[in-house]
Amino acid sequence: MTPPARGRGHSRDDVVRAALQILDEYGLPELTMRRLASALQVQPSALYWHFPNKQSILAELSDRIVSRDSHGQADPEWSMRVRAEASALRDALLTYRDGAEVVLSTLALGLGSTVAHDRLASAIAVGGFDDNTVDQAATTLLHFVLGHVSREQQRMQFDSLGAVDSSSGEQQTSATGFTFGVDLLVSGLQSRYQHRSEPGVSEPEQAI
Amino acid sequence: MTPPARGRGHSRDDVVRAALQILDEYGLPELTMRRLASALQVQPSALYWHFPNKQSILAELSDRIVSRDSHGQADPEWSMRVRAEASALRDALLTYRDGAEVVLSTLALGLGSTVAHDRLASAIAVGGFDDNTVDQAATTLLHFVLGHVSREQQRMQFDSLGAVDSSSGEQQTSATGFTFGVDLLVSGLQSRYQHRSEPGVSEPEQAI
DNA sequence: ACCTGAACACCGTTCAAGT
DNA sequence: ACCTGAACACCGTTCAAGT
């Protein structure tokens, strides 16, 4: 099963991969249906056999960018797990040019999967918080990560055009700011709900 | 001083006010240069005498939306002040349809003023944190507020099209989620830096 | 100071028709 | 199953010229 069915034409996956390449190489504003079509040596209208519209292509890109799993083994400590998950998400977004913007705009339209939110949520859930807290905290953290990386990538693009000083400080400042924000949220969770977990080591407390 | 100089034509301010009205009435996707021009009974090219391009108009809108001051007198307690400032920003964004999106996209392009960030920062600064902490926390909070309200407005728009159940729960859930996120960040600040408060500034601030 | 007229170089999307 | 050809209904922006 999962039949190849490859006659001559392109598959849906070909479209997505070409789109990802244009995105990474030239950025989101250059990712047009016409340009994507010509990269596949096809008429623009041909794309509409594979996808109903441009936004659905962007939603697919968003899912692929975010779904790139990376992290090593999971830390038993929930707060470390949250940090690791947040960093993994940041890394995934940084993998493609304008990655955060793509995910952000897809989210703003209510499209795309919830995998990013869910990954953060399940890490937080290890801390034994109630479902509502887990969901809200995951949403807050997701907003922060997307906003932060979006600005990070914006600055990267800005710097790449006539940067005077692209020396040491910038990336460190970015990563430091990221860590700061994540830690702030983790601290907030710890201080307000720490009393819900037992003082032992790594015990199977969970929400769902 | 501040000469009227009103001959016959429109002022820069006329353009902005017309744009704000289109934004609020029909939403961001309908706010095109051509539509804006026709609302002013003018050719599209006339807009380029007032502004260099569309993005600069959006940046101006962003500033106006965010600059709407509202809050009553300032609470002496820094954490209450932060909550009030965050709520005021949310209210300002909710004043215009797609308000959060406009500000978010302007911020993403590195345009617009920093007044939103600065207001949050000065509220946090009352807590006596070091400059770096103030700046990072303000950025984190700003990202959260923009992300949250953006989703809120997206849902409002979605619900307005064929909503089955627009009854009680929704707005309460939204406002609750907002409060939760702000409180989470405030708690994070309190738990990690409470010991840093300055002796002579105001009064001893206390948590919870 | 403020705008017109006309054009340029694009967009996303639809749809009948082809193979 | 996958694509072409041609069109539709738009965009933002430029620029000489007008008053």
Side-chain angles (χ1 to χ4, degrees):
Chain A
M1 307 9 171
T2 62
R6 307 306 314 284
R8 271 272 149 250
H10 297 103
S11 69
R12 189 182 157 94
D13 195 69
D14 294 335
V15 175
V16 174
R17 292 211 318 259
L20 271 176
Q21 191 182 331
I22 293 174
L23 176 69
D24 196 42
E25 204 158 341
Y26 305 99
L28 185 55
E30 304 257 313
L31 179 51
T32 68
M33 296 298 270
R34 293 175 126 92
R35 177 148 194 170
L36 178 54
S38 92
L40 292 162
Q41 281 170 304
V42 127
Q43 296 295 316
S45 50
L47 300 173
Y48 291 84
W49 192 89
H50 299 281
F51 290 90
N53 49 45
K54 185 181 179 179
Q55 257 310 324
S56 64
I57 297 182
L58 291 177
E60 180 69 37
L61 297 191
S62 173
D63 287 355
R64 298 235 185 167
I65 292 170
V66 143
S67 297
R68 202 190 75 127
D69 49 15
S70 50
H71 44 300
Q73 80 279 17
D75 196 296
E77 223 289 293
W78 73 268
S79 68
M80 290 308 291
R81 204 133 144 186
V82 169
R83 276 179 258 257
E85 214 63 68
S87 281
L89 176 56
R90 173 171 174 263
D91 290 346
L93 295 170
L94 285 174
T95 301
Y96 290 96
R97 165 124 80 132
D98 291 340
E101 272 260 22
V102 171
V103 176
L104 212 40
S105 80
T106 295
L107 208 82
L109 292 172
L111 304 175
S113 81
T114 60
V115 56
H117 172 279
D118 295 344
R119 288 229 258 250
L120 296 172
S122 69
I124 295 169
V126 176
F129 304 102
D130 65 277
D131 290 6
N132 215 300
T133 298
V134 167
D135 182 67
Q136 308 272 40
T139 300
T140 305
L141 186 49
L142 179 60
H143 286 153
F144 167 71
V145 174
L146 290 173
H148 184 92
V149 178
S150 170
R151 306 244 306 172
E152 217 171 336
Q153 289 182 317
Q154 159 218 327
R155 196 164 299 191
M156 285 168 69
Q157 197 165 343
F158 187 84
D159 287 352
S160 76
L161 300 166
V164 185
D165 181 12
S166 65
S167 64
S168 55
E170 312 243 328
Q171 280 171 352
Q172 279 194 1
T173 309
S174 258
T176 302
F178 182 79
T179 302
F180 176 93
V182 174
D183 284 350
L184 200 62
L185 289 163
V186 168
S187 296
L189 277 168
Q190 282 173 332
S191 75
R192 295 177 77 216
Y193 297 96
Q194 186 68 342
H195 35 80
R196 292 196 112 279
S197 69
E198 44 266 42
V201 201
S202 61
E203 288 324 304
E205 51 235 278
Q206 82 278 17
I208 183 162
Chain B
M1 310 354 173
T2 62
R6 307 305 315 282
R8 272 271 149 254
H10 296 103
S11 69
R12 188 182 157 96
D13 195 68
D14 293 335
V15 175
V16 173
R17 292 211 317 258
L20 271 176
Q21 192 182 330
I22 293 174
L23 176 69
D24 196 41
E25 205 159 339
Y26 305 100
L28 185 56
E30 304 257 311
L31 179 51
T32 67
M33 296 299 268
R34 293 174 127 92
R35 177 148 195 171
L36 178 54
S38 91
L40 292 163
Q41 281 170 303
V42 126
Q43 296 295 318
S45 50
L47 300 173
Y48 291 85
W49 191 89
H50 299 282
F51 290 90
N53 49 47
K54 184 181 180 179
Q55 256 310 324
S56 64
I57 296 182
L58 292 177
E60 180 68 38
L61 297 191
S62 173
D63 287 354
R64 298 235 185 166
I65 292 169
V66 142
S67 297
R68 200 189 77 126
D69 48 16
S70 50
H71 44 297
Q73 81 280 13
D75 196 294
E77 223 289 291
W78 73 268
S79 67
M80 290 309 291
R81 204 131 145 187
V82 169
R83 277 180 258 257
E85 213 65 66
S87 282
L89 176 56
R90 173 171 174 264
D91 291 345
L93 295 171
L94 286 174
T95 301
Y96 291 96
R97 164 123 80 130
D98 290 342
E101 272 261 21
V102 171
V103 176
L104 213 39
S105 79
T106 295
L107 208 81
L109 292 172
L111 303 175
S113 80
T114 59
V115 56
H117 172 279
D118 295 344
R119 287 230 258 252
L120 296 172
S122 68
I124 296 168
V126 176
F129 305 101
D130 64 278
D131 290 5
N132 215 301
T133 298
V134 167
D135 182 68
Q136 307 272 40
T139 300
T140 305
L141 186 49
L142 179 60
H143 285 155
F144 166 71
V145 173
L146 290 173
H148 185 92
V149 179
S150 171
R151 305 254 292 181
E152 218 171 332
Q153 291 183 315
Q154 159 219 328
R155 197 165 298 190
M156 286 169 68
Q157 199 166 341
F158 187 84
D159 287 351
S160 76
L161 300 165
V164 185
D165 181 13
S166 67
S167 64
S168 55
E170 311 241 328
Q171 281 172 351
Q172 278 193 1
T173 310
S174 257
T176 302
F178 182 78
T179 301
F180 177 92
V182 175
D183 283 350
L184 199 63
L185 289 163
V186 168
S187 295
L189 277 168
Q190 283 173 333
S191 77
R192 296 177 76 217
Y193 297 95
Q194 186 69 345
H195 36 79
R196 290 201 106 275
S197 69
E198 308 225 336
V201 177
S202 55
E203 72 295 326
E205 43 258 35
Q206 189 47 270
I208 291 292

